[in-house]
């Protein structure tokens, strides 16, 4: 388990990460999402022990990283931003060097290197100097380095950066397979990457955590959109009085898309069963004598949530 408690990182007067806390359980694939400069890479560097937090605590498996940095780093596979590699080395030589840095024995290295090359589809480039590789193949070389020692925790900073569509799909499949034995944290600013492979998303903005949610939960949090014939101020109070309704707001005219009457967005109380609540609301509207033109749950996914958070 990875646990961050009130992590802060400052550079002089600039706060790159501001009082961030979260816990990641074994086997999760967690996406760190945010615009460039949101604090994602800084958080990854602190989890891996390459950067000291200004304040707060980080623990991995119950051990504080400040007390057992080397031991924790042995359990982590890390692909840094921009994939730093040695261009004069061949792919095999670079992976052998990385294996030595990981402390892998000379006896075990050939099999582990071969497995990493096979998983990242680097066989045809294995004997080429890194300098001759495309950006996509360099990225795969960096991922091969990160998975060499079969780490319990895999931290990937922009793992699909520079890959073509076919390579991206292969990388997604590989990450999903690795999650069977590893806890994975992925940093990206691409929504599709998080939606495709992550169980959970943590959204960062200006160094702060602004959302921490499972992806399946996001899709069940949409408001109930209700279009009815009436439209007076008293209607708001009536709708707010209905069982299971926590808040009511009017939908702006440009979002009604030609719907007659007036459209309301009803926020249901946490834990409320959505569809039974909708049936109860429809029955109450009917009993009041209103015409009910439409009723549907608002489409809410990662893209709409990210847009909402970015707008504030």
């Amino acid at each position: 388990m990875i646990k961050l408690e009130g992590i802060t990182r400052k550079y002089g007067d600039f706060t790159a990460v501001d009082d961030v806390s979260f816990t990641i359980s074994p086997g999760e694939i967690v996406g760190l999402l945010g615009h460039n400069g949101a604090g994602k890479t800084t958080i990854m560097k602190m989890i891996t022990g390459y950067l000291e937090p200004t304040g707060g605590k980080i623990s991995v498996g119950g051990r504080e990283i400040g007390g057992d940095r080397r031991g924790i780093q042995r359990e982590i596979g890390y692909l840094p931003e921009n994939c730093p590699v040695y261009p004069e080395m061949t792919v095999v030589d670079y992976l052998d060097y990385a294996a030595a840095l990981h402390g892998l024995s000379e006896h075990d290295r050939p099999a582990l290197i071969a497995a990493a090359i096979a998983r990242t589809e680097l066989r045809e480039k294995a004997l080429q100097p890194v300098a001759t590789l495309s950006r996509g193949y360099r990225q795969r070389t960096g991922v091969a380095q990160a998975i060499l020692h079969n780490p319990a925790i895999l931290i990937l900073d922009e793992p699909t950066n520079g890959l073509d569509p076919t390579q991206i799909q292969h990388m997604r499949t590989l990450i999903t397979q690795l999650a069977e034995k590893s806890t994975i944290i992925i940093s990206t600013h691409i929504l599709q990457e998080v939606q495709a492979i992550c169980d959970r998303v943590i959204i960062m903005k200006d160094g702060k955590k602004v959302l921490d949610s499972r992806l399946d939960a996001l899709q069940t949090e949409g408001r109930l959109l209700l279009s009815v014939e009436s439209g007076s101020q008293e209607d708001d109070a009536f709708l707010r009085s209905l069982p299971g309704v926590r808040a009511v707001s009017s939908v702006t005219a440009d979002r009604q898309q030609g719907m007659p009457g007036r459209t309301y967005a009803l926020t249901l109380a946490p834990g409320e069963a959505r569809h039974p609540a909708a049936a109860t609301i429809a029955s109450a509207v009917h009993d009041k004598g209103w015409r009910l033109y439409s009723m549907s749950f608002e489409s809410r996914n990662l893209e709409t949530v990210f847009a909402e958070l970015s707008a504030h």
Side-chain angles (χ1 to χ4, degrees), residues 231-288:
S232 67
Q233 292 297 326
E234 291 75 17
D235 299 344
D236 294 40
F238 168 70
L239 292 172
R240 278 195 297 272
S241 71
L242 296 178
V245 176
R246 186 177 65 178
V248 176
S249 60
S250 296
V251 174
T252 56
D254 62 320
R255 292 188 61 191
Q256 292 196 60
Q257 299 178 342
M259 189 66 64
R262 189 173 182 183
T263 301
Y264 295 93
L266 279 58
T267 302
L268 303 184
E272 188 73 27
R274 286 160 35 106
H275 294 95
T280 300
I281 292 167
S283 178
V285 167
H286 178 268
D287 292 343
K288 192 170 179 62

Side-chain angles (χ1 to χ4, degrees), residues 136-155:
Y137 276 111
R138 288 191 186 198
Q139 192 74 355
R140 284 200 256 178
T141 302
V143 173
Q145 167 273 135
I147 66 175
L148 262 177
H149 55 306
N150 297 316
I153 299 167
L154 192 57
I155 297 179

Side-chain angles (χ1 to χ4, degrees), residues 67-85:
D68 189 16
R69 186 182 311 275
R70 292 296 186 190
I72 290 171
Q73 286 178 332
R74 292 189 189 98
E75 300 173 11
I76 295 176
Y78 180 37
L79 173 66
E81 189 178 21
N82 299 323
C83 187
V85 289

